[in-house]
Amino acid sequence: MKRLAVLTSGGDAPGMNAAIRAVVRTATQQGIEVVGVRRGFSGLHRGELAVLGPRDVANTIQRGGTILLTARSHTWRSPEGRAKGAQVLRDWNVDGLIVIGGDGSFHGGHYLQEEHGVPVIGVPGTIDNDLYGTDHTIGYFTAVETALDAVDKLRDTGASHERIFVIEVMGRHAGHIALDVAVAGGAEEVFIPEDAKSVEGVVEIVKASVAKGKASSIIIVAEGYPGGAQGVADAIQNGTGLETRVSILGHIQRGGAPVSSDRVLASRLGEAAVYALMDGEKGVMVGRGGGGIVYTPLHETWEKRKDVNRDLYRCAKTLSI
Amino acid sequence: MKRLAVLTSGGDAPGMNAAIRAVVRTATQQGIEVVGVRRGFSGLHRGELAVLGPRDVANTIQRGGTILLTARSHTWRSPEGRAKGAQVLRDWNVDGLIVIGGDGSFHGGHYLQEEHGVPVIGVPGTIDNDLYGTDHTIGYFTAVETALDAVDKLRDTGASHERIFVIEVMGRHAGHIALDVAVAGGAEEVFIPEDAKSVEGVVEIVKASVAKGKASSIIIVAEGYPGGAQGVADAIQNGTGLETRVSILGHIQRGGAPVSSDRVLASRLGEAAVYALMDGEKGVMVGRGGGGIVYTPLHETWEKRKDVNRDLYRCAKTLSI
Amino acid sequence: MKRLAVLTSGGDAPGMNAAIRAVVRTATQQGIEVVGVRRGFSGLHRGELAVLGPRDVANTIQRGGTILLTARSHTWRSPEGRAKGAQVLRDWNVDGLIVIGGDGSFHGGHYLQEEHGVPVIGVPGTIDNDLYGTDHTIGYFTAVETALDAVDKLRDTGASHERIFVIEVMGRHAGHIALDVAVAGGAEEVFIPEDAKSVEGVVEIVKASVAKGKASSIIIVAEGYPGGAQGVADAIQNGTGLETRVSILGHIQRGGAPVSSDRVLASRLGEAAVYALMDGEKGVMVGRGGGGIVYTPLHETWEKRKDVNRDLYRCAKTLSI
Amino acid sequence: MKRLAVLTSGGDAPGMNAAIRAVVRTATQQGIEVVGVRRGFSGLHRGELAVLGPRDVANTIQRGGTILLTARSHTWRSPEGRAKGAQVLRDWNVDGLIVIGGDGSFHGGHYLQEEHGVPVIGVPGTIDNDLYGTDHTIGYFTAVETALDAVDKLRDTGASHERIFVIEVMGRHAGHIALDVAVAGGAEEVFIPEDAKSVEGVVEIVKASVAKGKASSIIIVAEGYPGGAQGVADAIQNGTGLETRVSILGHIQRGGAPVSSDRVLASRLGEAAVYALMDGEKGVMVGRGGGGIVYTPLHETWEKRKDVNRDLYRCAKTLSI
């Protein structure tokens, strides 16, 4: 292996730069040259590539976003797009491709390999933590911390006004962020897509909470929960008559300097991705599991379901009394 | 003067606790007892009062919100409400009242004094900085910092995706927060209620920005600007066809540990309010101006208009090239 | 089981309040009363106990320090001290004791149980992460984040002045914090007590780093490394003649609002400690391992050695090129 | 005026990049070209110059440190050094020089202008706030915030252990940072170089504080106070026998993303420096005073003394009861 390419694709996540840096420096140390692809698969199809050396990634480990830029491209969905991408990689004499992103990006990588034989390694980079095959994804820890910081702030004002705050956090179809934020934020209740419980129950919870002397309440809702925060807030307002405010945290959860856990995870997985290619692996995602590095076929990362931590879900309930 | 009362009213603001602490400790040092009123004017009318000593405010200077709680009460609007409040203060042998809040709260204080002779001193506590008679209001600096932190995060993701972000910040009818955040956040454009410029102009700005090679743009909109962030974003999206996202920061701007500037301002103004009462002042707000403490009649604080810093507004334009 | 006691002991760690809260609320939900002991073992021996209800721990999950106070007591070292402590627990009709702290605290708990039959459960609360039997200890994540934030700041000034910064982080006899901070902080080199490598080698590293065009360097030193940061800095200054600054981060690493990972870990382990007592466990620490809760005999937590992550140590080296 | 040069010199300060950006963009908008000098006066004397365009300063407003690098150079002290620097500026056809730094840097600028006729404008960039002629200096607000954050953290651990913390903050020969941090941090006492009060008094203060029921104390000491934090701590330890810890915050106070107040101040002063040169001003520092921009002869900035805010100093005393 003489040369590999790396790209970031899909929604950006804090820690992607740390992963790029780890790929570049590990490869360089192993005598492999790295080519960076800009703007994900769309950039690949347009030939936006350039060689990356160790100094090009200096002072990036603490930066949010991705220096390679990203795009929510759909060009990988067409056979022509994939053929063009494979041709670009051949033109650049690339022996393998590392894709940092989420399940959409892994689909692109999977088909590129299936159809054109390019060895592809996935690195899980998404704030949603919704990929099977890794304990956590790069960006998840920072997103949780950003959301938690907002919850702490909202609790200040909620407590002062004795209000109920219903806070919607990201996570796509998964409740991981919501669950961690609910436990860490001391929320009264949490709604996640993985549990179909009725929104009606929250009315009783809030009433009981008031009866216990709690003057304010924090309710966390995952964006994937049907109806979202607004639906939950409407149910509370109608059922209790109490002043209820909605806060949708939105895109701030994607940005900011990555926290240490994301930087360390990204460094480890970026390194592991290079070693995987060197070891002849392909079509797998490198993840962290059982304290070490594990490989999972790319298609399993989206086909298999990663459940939320059910013990934590129960714990959230216990601690809200 | 043997005893004074203090209350917080209206929207909470970071630094209100620092102001309460300063009132309690300054008064105590001067041999004056302090009674804290809970839940603003509604609490006053219901008789929710209790003596506050120096230890009761220990370890509160860094806390967001208000330990006295607050409410957006309208009970002060009725003559009966005000008569009841004045009676409660007489029952508690209170010689003066310190009101920490914004213009609604100052209205309440003003009429209480006019009709019932209670000496009232206002302390400007609102994130909006929209009170005439003080360079800054307590909570303003923290709100700007929180909004700026969000802008920094959104720029990470905006730059990675080469998107336009239109961000709405608080400020009620005023553009102070928006303007400081725009300059400090390096925004391309800022929309404030104080300037009636058309939203159409932003289309040309964004187009010119793209032509100059800027891949992403940050646009700041004050909540008081007609149409808000959504209106601006729609104009950009329609006029340029570029991917445009809206982020409404909302209530997080009210919470959080106060930054140093708010703690220092609150400490100075809380102290000054006690001295003002001792000096026989009444019906005035204590503010900071010209590097020292200034008094302004309560009614002027809302009757006179505090303009945004026009030099800074011009500077925002210059620096966005 | 009708009543249990909880105390915090030794150095305080962010997340201890979240653990106390979890103990109180889980026990209450299970119909068990909780008695809080103030000031650790010294307070126990002096009888400083009080009942804690669910509302007493409201709004504490985000607070640094410990609401129960702590002390680096040595009273547990004497048989008389332990006999007195056991008597106090009997007087208060306590059926079990939960000790939140590090190895010194666990020694105290261990002997209390061995000699007086009090069922004791340990909860790992220390920023140092130096206890065998748990992946992480409560407070560790926050300490790493605080140290990393300082490293990011020092890099700003180091890069501007093209200086070398040698930064000493906490960790007692262990290098866990140093290693995570080195990887996440993009350090050139890290010195930990677990590796006896000579300080002389760093001179070559720094020289090579300068030759590669790096204008500044960050070197992380664990406080347990012989000679500390000063020793390393002296070697660099003498060996290279380059301007070298030492920064010893100190006690700030113990404080601050706990990050989400510490709050979640503390919530889970506090809950698990109550369940362990209910299940008849005693003399064990509850820890997190393999994704679930694991029990380890108290004496093993200090007798067995918890090594640093050797893969990460190697990774730190690779990524510093 | 066709071309101006800009440099940063002396200790770096957060917001220097915002000032550079403002200089570049204001000048460009006015049709003036900007040349950036790297590494301050030493770089000037070595000819390290390069043209800077508006895009070169994109995405820098939020960065700590200085992209132009800095050095604590003494080359400006020699007549030969200054002659060489003036020659370089002539070679580059520079019509004026903007110096961002503190009093050492302004000395350099002053003599360059006196001896060689180069129009020089100073921009106050130092965390110490020790320059006469401006309410605040660029970097000051961020340094205060960083120090305050550390104080908040130390109070968590101080309160949990019921300890006394003596914390040393920066400020060179001035007590500005110490005073703001003391008021905002709720410190029991503050020692600044501007007041020669004996360290012995603090022993009585701490004893009285304990008698009043305060379990922990925070004492702030400016680095310029004779004996520093260690001297104060020794006096307390010896005089009270209470456990006393010293924390010297050090260089972290120089780094980090600038807070909004520093970014806004830097933007305004950078803009004003260009306008000053265009207006034919020279040998002056641009500062903020009375709500607007003021000019002060460079030599007055170090000859005249800027006192600490005496009202605030008194306030610190009042609020510590």
Side-chain angles (χ1 to χ4, degrees):
Chain A
M1 167 151 295
K2 291 190 176 158
R3 198 183 237 192
L4 63 82
V6 59
L7 62 79
T8 50
S9 170
D12 65 312
M16 280 184 160
N17 287 328
I20 297 166
R21 173 181 176 270
V23 166
V24 170
R25 295 200 168 174
T26 304
T28 304
Q29 201 225 30
Q30 299 290 329
I32 301 168
E33 198 174 43
V34 176
V35 175
V37 182
R38 285 161 65 92
R39 298 188 177 81
F41 286 103
S42 8
L44 175 61
H45 303 154
R46 284 194 301 265
E48 302 182 19
L49 287 76
V51 171
L52 282 180
R55 291 283 70 69
D56 294 320
V57 292
N59 214 15
T60 63
I61 195 171
Q62 81 280 24
R63 305 257 182 260
T66 160
I67 57 170
L68 286 178
L69 307 181
T70 184
R72 290 194 182 276
S73 164
H74 294 296
T75 55
W76 62 263
R77 289 186 186 273
S78 74
E80 296 75 20
R82 296 194 292 267
K84 179 73 175 91
Q87 185 57 47
V88 169
L89 292 174
R90 278 191 298 270
D91 292 347
W92 278 76
N93 295 315
V94 164
D95 305 313
L97 173 67
I98 294 174
V99 173
I100 306 169
D103 70 349
S105 314
F106 290 177
H107 273 84
H110 173 75
Y111 290 112
L112 193 65
Q113 172 168 323
E114 291 288 303
E115 297 171 4
H116 302 281
V118 185
V120 172
I121 300 292
V123 174
T126 162
I127 65 165
D128 303 318
N129 198 26
D130 59 351
L131 293 170
Y132 178 86
T134 187
D135 290 345
H136 296 101
T137 53
I138 297 165
Y140 175 70
F141 295 102
T142 305
V144 168
E145 211 60 51
T146 298
L148 180 59
D149 183 57
V151 169
D152 282 354
K153 284 179 163 55
L154 292 171
R155 180 166 38 202
D156 284 341
T157 191
S160 297
H161 283 274
E162 304 179 295
R163 270 178 196 155
I164 296 157
F165 264 105
V166 182
I167 305 168
E168 185 172 306
V169 300
M170 283 190 164
R172 287 213 313 166
H173 309 301
H176 301 283
I177 293 178
L179 186 48
D180 263 356
V181 169
V183 171
E188 261 62 41
E189 182 58 282
V190 54
F191 291 92
I192 55 176
E194 289 85 351
D195 183 3
K197 76 181 166 195
S198 159
V199 75
E200 304 310 327
V202 75
V203 175
E204 296 314 308
I205 287 167
V206 170
K207 282 182 180 172
S209 173
V210 170
K212 277 182 289 189
K214 287 194 183 186
S216 67
S217 292
I218 296 284
I219 315 285
I220 305 293
V221 182
E223 63 175 331
Y225 182 80
Q230 193 61 54
V232 173
D234 290 347
I236 295 174
Q237 182 99 45
N238 295 337
T240 67
L242 296 170
E243 192 177 0
T244 307
R245 297 287 173 108
V246 169
S247 181
I248 297 172
L249 300 185
H251 279 81
I252 56 169
Q253 295 166 86
R254 293 200 173 282
V259 301
S260 62
S261 299
D262 277 324
R263 299 192 204 179
V264 171
L265 178 62
S267 296
R268 286 286 284 129
L269 295 184
E271 182 196 38
V274 173
Y275 290 153
L277 274 180
M278 292 175 66
D279 289 347
E281 290 288 338
K282 54 187 190 172
V284 298
M285 178 188 81
V286 292
R288 187 165 61 186
I293 299 295
V294 292
Y295 297 154
T296 304
L298 282 176
H299 62 90
E300 287 191 9
T301 65
W302 67 80
E303 286 170 1
K304 293 196 177 175
R305 186 162 166 276
K306 180 181 186 174
D307 197 12
V308 291
N309 184 332
R310 294 282 160 179
D311 287 330
L312 192 61
Y313 190 48
R314 180 185 39 67
C315 181
K317 195 76 218 139
T318 302
L319 300 190
S320 69
I321 68 165
Chain B
M1 168 152 291
K2 292 191 174 158
R3 198 182 236 191
L4 63 81
V6 60
L7 61 79
T8 50
S9 170
D12 65 313
M16 280 184 161
N17 287 326
I20 297 166
R21 173 181 177 270
V23 166
V24 170
R25 294 200 169 174
T26 303
T28 303
Q29 201 227 30
Q30 297 290 331
I32 301 168
E33 197 174 43
V34 177
V35 175
V37 183
R38 286 162 65 92
R39 298 186 177 81
F41 286 104
S42 6
L44 174 62
H45 302 153
R46 284 193 303 264
E48 301 182 21
L49 289 76
V51 171
L52 282 180
R55 292 281 72 67
D56 295 320
V57 291
N59 215 14
T60 63
I61 196 171
Q62 82 279 25
R63 305 257 182 262
T66 160
I67 57 169
L68 286 177
L69 306 180
T70 185
R72 292 195 181 271
S73 164
H74 294 297
T75 55
W76 62 263
R77 290 185 187 272
S78 73
E80 297 74 20
R82 296 193 292 267
K84 181 70 176 88
Q87 185 58 48
V88 169
L89 291 174
R90 279 191 298 269
D91 292 347
W92 278 76
N93 296 314
V94 164
D95 305 313
L97 173 67
I98 294 173
V99 173
I100 305 169
D103 70 348
S105 314
F106 289 177
H107 273 85
H110 173 74
Y111 288 113
L112 193 64
Q113 172 168 322
E114 291 287 303
E115 296 171 4
H116 302 281
V118 185
V120 172
I121 300 292
V123 174
T126 163
I127 65 165
D128 302 319
N129 197 26
D130 59 351
L131 293 170
Y132 178 86
T134 189
D135 291 345
H136 295 101
T137 54
I138 298 166
Y140 175 70
F141 295 102
T142 306
V144 168
E145 212 59 51
T146 298
L148 180 59
D149 183 57
V151 169
D152 282 354
K153 286 179 161 56
L154 292 171
R155 181 167 37 201
D156 284 341
T157 190
S160 297
H161 284 274
E162 303 179 295
R163 267 178 198 157
I164 296 157
F165 264 105
V166 182
I167 305 169
E168 185 172 305
V169 301
M170 283 189 163
R172 287 212 314 164
H173 309 301
H176 301 284
I177 294 178
L179 185 49
D180 263 357
V181 169
V183 172
E188 261 62 40
E189 181 57 283
V190 54
F191 291 92
I192 55 176
E194 289 84 351
D195 183 4
K197 75 181 167 196
S198 160
V199 75
E200 303 311 327
V202 75
V203 175
E204 296 315 308
I205 288 168
V206 170
K207 282 182 179 171
S209 173
V210 170
K212 278 181 290 189
K214 288 195 184 187
S216 67
S217 293
I218 297 284
I219 315 283
I220 305 294
V221 182
E223 64 175 332
Y225 183 79
Q230 193 62 55
V232 173
D234 289 347
I236 295 174
Q237 182 99 48
N238 295 336
T240 67
L242 295 170
E243 191 176 1
T244 307
R245 297 288 172 106
V246 169
S247 181
I248 297 173
L249 299 184
H251 280 81
I252 57 169
Q253 294 166 86
R254 293 199 171 285
V259 300
S260 61
S261 298
D262 277 324
R263 298 191 204 180
V264 170
L265 177 63
S267 296
R268 287 285 284 129
L269 295 183
E271 182 197 38
V274 174
Y275 290 152
L277 274 180
M278 291 176 66
D279 289 347
E281 290 289 339
K282 54 185 191 175
V284 298
M285 178 188 82
V286 292
R288 187 164 60 184
I293 300 295
V294 291
Y295 297 154
T296 304
L298 283 177
H299 62 92
E300 287 190 10
T301 66
W302 68 80
E303 287 169 0
K304 293 195 177 174
R305 186 163 166 273
K306 180 183 188 174
D307 197 12
V308 291
N309 184 332
R310 293 282 160 179
D311 288 332
L312 192 60
Y313 191 47
R314 179 186 40 67
C315 181
K317 196 74 217 140
T318 301
L319 302 189
S320 68
I321 68 164
Chain C
M1 167 152 293
K2 292 191 177 157
R3 198 183 237 191
L4 62 82
V6 60
L7 63 79
T8 51
S9 170
D12 66 312
M16 281 185 160
N17 287 327
I20 296 166
R21 173 181 176 271
V23 166
V24 171
R25 295 199 167 175
T26 304
T28 304
Q29 201 227 29
Q30 298 289 331
I32 301 168
E33 196 173 45
V34 176
V35 175
V37 182
R38 286 162 65 91
R39 298 187 178 80
F41 285 105
S42 7
L44 176 62
H45 303 154
R46 284 194 302 266
E48 302 182 20
L49 288 75
V51 171
L52 281 180
R55 293 282 70 70
D56 295 321
V57 292
N59 213 14
T60 63
I61 196 171
Q62 82 278 24
R63 305 256 181 261
T66 160
I67 58 170
L68 286 177
L69 307 180
T70 184
R72 292 195 180 275
S73 165
H74 293 298
T75 55
W76 63 262
R77 290 185 185 275
S78 74
E80 297 75 20
R82 295 192 293 266
K84 181 70 176 88
Q87 186 56 48
V88 169
L89 291 174
R90 279 191 298 270
D91 292 348
W92 277 77
N93 296 315
V94 164
D95 305 311
L97 174 67
I98 294 173
V99 173
I100 305 169
D103 72 347
S105 313
F106 289 176
H107 273 85
H110 173 74
Y111 288 115
L112 193 65
Q113 172 168 322
E114 292 288 303
E115 296 171 4
H116 302 282
V118 185
V120 172
I121 300 292
V123 173
T126 163
I127 65 164
D128 303 319
N129 197 26
D130 60 351
L131 293 170
Y132 178 86
T134 188
D135 290 344
H136 296 102
T137 54
I138 298 165
Y140 175 71
F141 295 102
T142 306
V144 168
E145 211 60 48
T146 299
L148 179 59
D149 183 58
V151 169
D152 282 353
K153 284 178 161 54
L154 292 170
R155 181 168 35 201
D156 283 341
T157 191
S160 297
H161 284 275
E162 304 178 295
R163 268 178 196 156
I164 296 156
F165 264 106
V166 182
I167 305 169
E168 185 172 306
V169 301
M170 283 189 163
R172 287 214 312 166
H173 309 301
H176 302 283
I177 293 177
L179 185 48
D180 264 356
V181 169
V183 171
E188 260 62 41
E189 181 57 285
V190 55
F191 291 92
I192 55 176
E194 289 85 349
D195 182 4
K197 75 181 167 196
S198 160
V199 75
E200 304 310 328
V202 75
V203 175
E204 296 314 309
I205 288 167
V206 170
K207 283 183 180 171
S209 173
V210 169
K212 277 181 290 188
K214 288 195 184 186
S216 67
S217 293
I218 296 284
I219 315 285
I220 305 293
V221 182
E223 64 175 332
Y225 183 80
Q230 193 62 54
V232 172
D234 290 346
I236 294 174
Q237 181 99 47
N238 296 336
T240 66
L242 295 170
E243 192 177 1
T244 307
R245 297 287 173 106
V246 169
S247 181
I248 297 173
L249 298 185
H251 280 81
I252 56 169
Q253 295 166 87
R254 293 198 170 285
V259 300
S260 61
S261 299
D262 277 324
R263 298 191 205 180
V264 170
L265 178 63
S267 297
R268 286 285 284 130
L269 295 183
E271 181 197 39
V274 173
Y275 290 153
L277 274 180
M278 291 175 67
D279 289 347
E281 290 289 338
K282 54 187 192 174
V284 298
M285 178 188 81
V286 292
R288 187 164 58 185
I293 300 295
V294 292
Y295 298 154
T296 305
L298 283 176
H299 63 91
E300 288 190 10
T301 66
W302 67 78
E303 286 170 0
K304 293 194 176 174
R305 187 163 165 276
K306 180 182 188 173
D307 197 12
V308 291
N309 184 331
R310 293 283 160 178
D311 287 331
L312 192 60
Y313 191 47
R314 179 185 39 68
C315 181
K317 196 74 217 142
T318 301
L319 301 190
S320 69
I321 68 164
Chain D
M1 168 153 294
K2 292 192 177 158
R3 198 183 236 192
L4 62 82
V6 59
L7 61 79
T8 51
S9 169
D12 65 313
M16 280 183 161
N17 287 327
I20 297 165
R21 173 181 176 270
V23 166
V24 171
R25 295 200 167 175
T26 304
T28 303
Q29 201 228 27
Q30 298 289 330
I32 301 168
E33 196 173 46
V34 176
V35 175
V37 183
R38 286 163 64 93
R39 296 187 179 84
F41 286 103
S42 7
L44 174 62
H45 303 152
R46 286 194 300 265
E48 302 182 21
L49 287 76
V51 171
L52 281 180
R55 292 282 72 69
D56 294 321
V57 292
N59 213 13
T60 63
I61 195 171
Q62 81 279 25
R63 306 258 182 260
T66 160
I67 57 170
L68 285 177
L69 306 180
T70 184
R72 290 193 180 276
S73 164
H74 294 297
T75 54
W76 62 264
R77 290 184 186 274
S78 74
E80 297 75 20
R82 296 193 292 267
K84 180 72 176 87
Q87 185 58 48
V88 169
L89 291 174
R90 278 191 298 269
D91 292 347
W92 278 76
N93 296 314
V94 164
D95 305 313
L97 173 68
I98 294 173
V99 173
I100 306 169
D103 71 348
S105 313
F106 289 175
H107 273 84
H110 173 75
Y111 288 114
L112 193 65
Q113 173 168 322
E114 292 287 303
E115 296 171 4
H116 302 283
V118 185
V120 172
I121 300 292
V123 173
T126 161
I127 65 164
D128 302 319
N129 197 25
D130 59 351
L131 293 171
Y132 178 85
T134 188
D135 291 344
H136 296 102
T137 54
I138 298 166
Y140 175 69
F141 295 102
T142 305
V144 168
E145 211 59 50
T146 298
L148 180 59
D149 183 58
V151 169
D152 283 353
K153 284 178 162 53
L154 292 170
R155 182 169 34 203
D156 284 340
T157 190
S160 297
H161 283 275
E162 303 177 297
R163 267 177 197 158
I164 295 155
F165 264 105
V166 182
I167 304 168
E168 186 173 305
V169 300
M170 282 189 163
R172 286 212 316 165
H173 310 301
H176 301 283
I177 293 177
L179 185 48
D180 263 356
V181 169
V183 171
E188 262 60 43
E189 182 58 283
V190 55
F191 291 92
I192 55 176
E194 288 86 350
D195 182 4
K197 75 182 168 195
S198 160
V199 75
E200 304 309 327
V202 74
V203 175
E204 296 314 309
I205 287 167
V206 170
K207 282 182 180 172
S209 172
V210 170
K212 278 182 289 189
K214 287 194 184 186
S216 66
S217 292
I218 297 284
I219 315 284
I220 305 295
V221 182
E223 65 175 332
Y225 183 81
Q230 193 62 55
V232 173
D234 290 347
I236 295 174
Q237 181 100 47
N238 295 337
T240 67
L242 295 170
E243 191 177 2
T244 307
R245 298 287 173 106
V246 169
S247 181
I248 296 172
L249 299 185
H251 280 80
I252 56 169
Q253 294 165 89
R254 292 199 173 284
V259 300
S260 61
S261 298
D262 277 325
R263 298 191 204 180
V264 170
L265 178 62
S267 296
R268 285 286 283 130
L269 295 183
E271 182 198 38
V274 174
Y275 290 152
L277 275 180
M278 292 175 66
D279 289 347
E281 290 288 339
K282 54 187 191 174
V284 298
M285 178 188 82
V286 293
R288 188 164 59 186
I293 299 295
V294 292
Y295 297 155
T296 305
L298 283 176
H299 62 90
E300 288 190 10
T301 66
W302 67 80
E303 286 170 1
K304 293 195 177 174
R305 187 163 165 275
K306 180 182 187 174
D307 197 12
V308 291
N309 184 332
R310 293 283 159 177
D311 288 330
L312 192 61
Y313 191 47
R314 179 186 39 68
C315 181
K317 195 74 218 142
T318 302
L319 301 190
S320 70
I321 69 165

